[in-house]
Amino acid sequence: DQIQVNEGTIEIEDEAPPAPGLPTPPDPPEPDEPKFEVEKAGLSDAKIMPGESVDVTATIIETTGEQSGTFTAELIIDGEVIDKQDVSIGAGESGTVTFTETFDEPGEYKIEVSSVTAGTLTVGDREPDPRDATFEVTSTELSDTEITVGEDVDISATIENRGDKHGTFTAELTIDGEVTETKDISLDGSETGTITFTESFDTAGEYDIRVNDSYVGMVTVEDDSLLPVPGFGVTGALAALLAIALIGARLQN
C-alpha cells in the first residue's frame, strides 16, 4: 500500500573502464622550453693599437630543456649594447658566437657578452719605431730682412729626414705666432730637402718669421707712400723732407 520513487543521473562513457587492477597511464609531460646561458667569454687580444680590431668570443650552453632553440647574444662595451647575434643550439648542445669590433680611439674598454665579462681591452698609442721617418729643420734663410709694403720676401728652410724610412713632413710658416701657410715635402731616409715660402705684407711693421718651431728672423716692412716718386723708400722720404726743411730755413735767414 506504499510506492517509493528514486531519481538520479547515470553517466555513460564511450570507453570501457580499465580492467580491475590496471591504473590509467598519465599523459606524457610537455617538453620544457630550452634555457641558455653564456658559459665563458674572452678576447683575442687584450691590447691593440687605434684602428685595429679584436675578436670577442663566447660559448653558450643549454642549461634546461630537451629541444633546440635560439639564443640572442649581446656585445656590450662599457655598459652599452652595440651588436647582437642569434645562435641556434641543439638540445643538450653548446654553441659559439664571435663578434669582431674595431677601435679608433685610445683608452680602456670593458667588454661583455650578455653581461658575462670577456675582459678589459686597452687601445694604446703605437710605440715609435726608431727606424721611422723623423724630421728636423736644420737651417733657415730670409731672402731680405727689409722690404716695402707689397714687396715679396722668400723664406727657405732645409729639412732632414733622420730616420731610415720614407716619410712626409708638413712645414708650417708662422708669422707673429699665426700659421699662414703649410707645405709638404717627402723625403727618403737620411735625405735632405729645401722648402720655400713666398710672402708679402700689406702693412708696415716688424714681423717675427718662423718655420714650425725654428726661428728664421725678423722682417722689417716699410711704407714708401710718403713720397709719390717710385723708388723712394722711407729712408729716402725722410732725407728729402730734411733737405726741404734745411732749404726753407736758409731762405728765411
Side-chain angles (χ1 to χ4, degrees):
D1 55 359
Q2 293 183 354
I3 297 176
Q4 183 177 1
V5 178
N6 293 324
E7 294 182 357
T9 301
I10 299 176
E11 293 184 2
I12 301 176
E13 298 180 350
D14 291 337
E15 296 181 359
L22 296 177
T24 303
D27 294 333
E30 293 292 332
D32 293 335
E33 289 294 327
K35 294 183 180 181
F36 306 94
E37 70 176 23
V38 178
E39 183 181 32
K40 59 181 179 179
L43 304 174
S44 61
D45 202 338
K47 185 175 182 179
I48 61 174
M49 297 301 159
E52 295 181 346
S53 300
V54 66
D55 292 336
V56 185
T57 303
T59 301
I60 298 99
I61 61 172
E62 182 179 347
T63 58
T64 61
E66 298 178 358
Q67 58 182 336
S68 61
T70 300
F71 176 77
T72 300
E74 298 178 336
L75 175 63
I76 304 172
I77 299 179
D78 289 341
E80 180 182 356
V81 177
I82 64 168
D83 199 3
K84 295 182 180 181
Q85 285 191 32
D86 289 337
V87 186
S88 296
I89 301 175
E93 297 180 354
S94 63
T96 302
V97 62
T98 299
F99 297 92
T100 300
E101 190 68 21
T102 302
F103 295 80
D104 295 324
E105 297 296 328
E108 288 192 347
Y109 300 87
K110 181 182 178 182
I111 312 295
E112 300 172 275
V113 177
S114 297
S115 300
V116 174
T117 300
T120 299
L121 176 68
T122 300
V123 182
D125 294 326
R126 186 174 66 87
E127 293 293 332
D129 188 335
R131 298 172 300 171
D132 287 348
T134 55
F135 299 94
E136 184 174 339
V137 179
T138 57
S139 62
T140 57
E141 184 181 359
L142 287 171
S143 62
D144 204 341
T145 58
E146 293 185 3
I147 60 174
T148 57
V149 171
E151 202 174 5
D152 291 337
V153 62
D154 292 333
I155 303 107
S156 300
T158 301
I159 316 297
E160 180 181 356
N161 180 359
R162 297 195 169 180
D164 296 330
K165 297 181 180 179
H166 178 88
T168 300
F169 176 76
T170 299
E172 297 179 341
L173 175 63
T174 303
I175 299 177
D176 287 345
E178 180 180 354
V179 177
T180 60
E181 188 177 356
T182 61
K183 285 187 177 181
D184 291 339
I185 182 170
S186 296
L187 299 171
D188 291 329
S190 302
E191 185 181 7
T192 299
T194 301
I195 199 165
T196 300
F197 299 94
T198 299
E199 190 73 18
S200 62
F201 301 86
D202 298 329
T203 306
E206 289 190 340
Y207 296 89
D208 180 280
I209 310 296
R210 298 175 186 267
V211 174
N212 293 60
D213 294 329
S214 297
Y215 177 72
V216 182
M218 297 291 296
V219 173
T220 301
V221 180
E222 298 176 340
D223 190 349
D224 61 357
S225 61
L226 292 175
L227 287 176
V229 181
F232 281 86
V234 174
T235 303
L238 291 175
L241 290 174
L242 180 58
I244 291 173
L246 291 174
I247 294 172
R250 290 184 178 180
L251 289 176
Q252 288 180 358
N253 291 335

